Amino acid sequence: MKSVWPLLLAAWLLATLSTAGAIFIGEVMMMTPCTLCWYQRIAMFPLAVILGMATVWYGLFYGNGSY
């Protein structure tokens, strides 16, 4: 059976990079997001946290040290 951990890690990295990019564009470059971008941020910011927790949890309890 293949491990799900690399997929969780890839999804977490993508969500984290998207969150960091959105924060950089909004706070550093001072560009205000459009209405659709706000909805994307509302979904993406918690996703980075949830996927990070799932990645760590899966690695600790089901990884068996294979990562």
Side-chain angles (χ1 to χ4, degrees):
M1 184 171 144
K2 287 190 172 186
S3 177
V4 180
W5 190 80
L7 295 175
L8 279 173
L9 182 62
W12 174 72
L13 286 173
L14 183 64
T16 303
L17 289 174
S18 298
T19 300
I23 291 173
F24 177 79
I25 290 171
E27 298 298 323
V28 176
M29 297 178 65
M30 298 294 184
M31 296 179 67
T32 57
C34 65
T35 304
L36 293 177
C37 295
W38 277 113
Y39 292 126
Q40 178 186 5
R41 287 178 182 198
I42 289 169
M44 188 60 66
F45 288 177
L47 189 62
V49 174
I50 292 168
L51 285 172
M53 290 171 46
T55 303
V56 170
W57 184 76
Y58 187 84
L60 288 175
F61 295 110
Y62 295 107
N64 297 326
S66 61
Y67 53 90

